[in-house]
Amino acid sequence: SSTSSSSSRSSNYSNINATISEIYKLAKIQQRQHGRQGLFPQMQDAQTGRRRAGSMPKLVQRLKSCPSQQWNHISSGNVARLSWALGKAREPSNNLTSVHQGLNTALRSLNMSDFQTWELVSVMWGQSLCLGSESSLIFFEKFCMEASRRNLSCLPSRQLASLAWSIGYANLASAGSKRLTNAIAAQVSFRGTESFQPAELSNMIFCLFRGDLMNDGSLLPVLDSMLRQVDTFCAQRGDKKDEAGLRICLLLRETNHLLITRIVESIGVAESEKILLKAIAIEKSGGQQTEEKISRRRLPGGVFLKLLKSSIPKDAWAKIRGPSKRGPRHKDRFRSNKRHHAQNYLD
């Protein structure tokens, strides 16, 4: 009986690892096929014409039903894969609470040294999108400290940029985040800004903007060199409006490229550049807080839009924004999950 029970346990452990592997593979496929629709798209049934759920929700439901003790036997690689998939999922975090709890259980059972560097990057990228509980904040800080001790020179530029984006998006004023930001800045200085793609530079700039630029003057020369490199890249576009729109998107990591294009066409290149310089100055001086009940630091693109709306009439902004296609009920739900759903169109 003991033999049969042990074989049953090992079968369960292999089942949960197999489920995570299936989720990761399907997430990669659906990312290529559906892009901004996320990992939980509603598929169209070819025969009946009705909309049906894809296979991803079924796999996630299978994970939800796993007992907590099974989460103690997940490998570091599968923790990284699941973190990445959850970060990509356009699903409200409260729908995945039990999965996040299981993931935290798996993280407690592993040592930081068990993770390869690429696994650290994937976990931090996914965790930064799902921060909320105290335990997730503690784990993110531990991963920051561990990553800052690693040799980041072995990371490809794309993974280094993803790591930078994670720190910027989490926006935690912690010792681990500061150490890792300085380590990334050192890598940028060592490799040279010309060795990075524009989208990668955008992530690096986003990270340094969210860092403690006021108290850490060593980051400013690196930031300025990246800003100049982006200007050099944008100057190759030829068209002034296209150049200005791309510069705003890259420097502020603004993902709504169509909106920025409409803004530049409406108010002109010169006025757009003035607002951009003001937004950069605000970011360098510590950023801008939102006006919500629970205040948080505004994203760089949000700072630009706030400055824009305060400098033009309301009817001009309504014309730029265009008519809303969302109803009032959906609008509130959309706002609550906007940060979680943010996708990087530059990738």
Side-chain angles (χ1 to χ4, degrees):
S1 61
S2 61
T3 306
S4 62
S5 61
S6 62
S7 63
S8 174
R9 282 196 299 270
S10 63
S11 174
N12 288 334
Y13 302 151
S14 63
N15 285 342
I16 190 171
N17 279 290
T19 302
I20 292 173
S21 296
E22 286 183 59
I23 287 175
Y24 178 73
K25 289 176 184 176
L26 189 58
K28 297 288 282 188
I29 293 171
Q30 291 189 352
Q31 182 196 23
R32 290 193 294 268
Q33 292 179 348
H34 302 282
R36 293 177 67 88
Q37 292 181 31
L39 303 183
F40 294 81
Q42 292 291 316
M43 309 291 190
Q44 188 82 22
D45 193 297
Q47 293 182 347
T48 64
R50 296 178 180 176
R51 300 188 73 77
R52 58 182 176 79
S55 55
M56 181 65 81
K58 297 176 183 177
L59 292 172
V60 173
Q61 194 61 42
R62 197 190 303 173
L63 270 188
K64 288 181 178 180
S65 62
C66 290
S68 58
Q69 62 268 23
Q70 290 189 23
W71 289 92
N72 292 319
H73 299 267
I74 299 178
S75 64
S76 60
N78 273 341
V79 167
R81 293 181 184 95
L82 182 59
S83 297
W84 180 87
L86 291 179
K88 283 288 182 185
R90 289 183 146 208
E91 189 78 351
S93 297
N94 57 356
N95 291 358
L96 300 170
T97 301
S98 59
V99 178
H100 286 299
Q101 289 173 349
L103 194 57
N104 286 339
T105 301
L107 288 170
R108 290 190 198 96
S109 67
L110 293 166
N111 296 318
M112 294 293 111
S113 57
D114 294 336
F115 290 87
Q116 298 181 41
T117 307
W118 74 265
E119 293 171 347
L120 287 176
V121 175
S122 294
V123 172
M124 289 182 65
W125 189 89
Q127 289 280 319
S128 67
L129 287 160
C130 308
L131 290 177
S133 64
E134 185 178 350
S135 59
S136 62
L137 294 172
I138 292 171
F139 282 126
F140 191 84
E141 171 64 5
K142 286 182 178 179
F143 276 107
C144 284
M145 294 296 289
E146 179 63 26
S148 66
R149 299 187 193 104
R150 300 288 180 96
N151 179 16
L152 299 182
S153 60
C154 65
L155 282 181
S157 58
R158 187 176 179 84
Q159 288 189 11
L160 192 68
S162 294
L163 192 61
W165 183 89
S166 303
I167 302 168
Y169 195 82
N171 194 31
L172 299 179
S174 62
S177 295
K178 292 177 182 177
R179 281 184 58 176
L180 189 51
T181 300
N182 284 314
I184 291 172
Q187 279 297 310
V188 174
S189 297
F190 177 74
R191 300 184 190 191
T193 54
E194 66 279 356
S195 64
F196 293 92
Q197 295 296 318
E200 295 165 353
L201 284 175
S202 180
N203 282 344
M204 303 287 189
I205 292 168
F206 177 65
C207 173
L208 294 191
F209 272 157
R210 312 284 273 183
D212 195 4
L213 290 171
M214 293 292 288
N215 298 320
D216 193 346
S218 63
L219 295 177
L220 284 171
V222 183
L223 176 62
D224 289 336
S225 67
M226 288 193 287
L227 294 178
R228 288 193 299 271
Q229 184 64 30
V230 169
D231 284 340
T232 302
F233 172 78
C234 293
Q236 301 170 1
R237 304 291 285 192
D239 183 76
K240 289 293 183 182
K241 289 184 178 179
D242 188 26
E243 177 186 332
L246 182 62
R247 181 181 288 109
I248 292 169
C249 288
L250 287 174
L251 294 185
L252 302 182
R253 208 188 171 282
E254 174 54 52
T255 59
N256 195 338
H257 187 250
L258 293 176
L259 177 61
I260 297 300
T261 301
R262 291 200 299 269
I263 290 171
V264 174
E265 289 175 350
S266 177
I267 67 175
V269 173
E271 191 62 29
S272 300
E273 294 282 1
K274 286 181 184 177
I275 298 175
L276 172 62
L277 291 176
K278 288 181 182 178
I280 291 174
I282 290 173
E283 285 298 310
K284 282 186 175 182
S285 62
Q288 186 182 81
Q289 296 297 116
T290 62
E291 296 155 3
E292 301 167 351
K293 290 183 180 179
I294 303 176
S295 182
R296 60 173 177 82
R297 181 170 171 175
R298 207 183 294 275
L299 292 171
V303 174
F304 177 86
L305 295 177
K306 182 70 175 177
L307 291 170
L308 171 71
K309 285 188 277 189
S310 64
S311 64
I312 61 174
K314 286 186 177 182
D315 57 342
W317 167 245
K319 187 177 179 181
I320 292 172
R321 187 186 60 185
S324 176
K325 296 180 180 179
R326 302 175 182 273
R329 289 179 62 191
H330 184 77
K331 189 175 182 181
D332 293 337
R333 184 165 58 88
F334 174 75
R335 282 179 176 172
S336 66
N337 295 314
K338 186 176 180 181
R339 293 184 69 204
H340 177 71
H341 289 176
Q343 298 290 318
N344 182 10
Y345 91 100
L346 297 168
D347 282 345

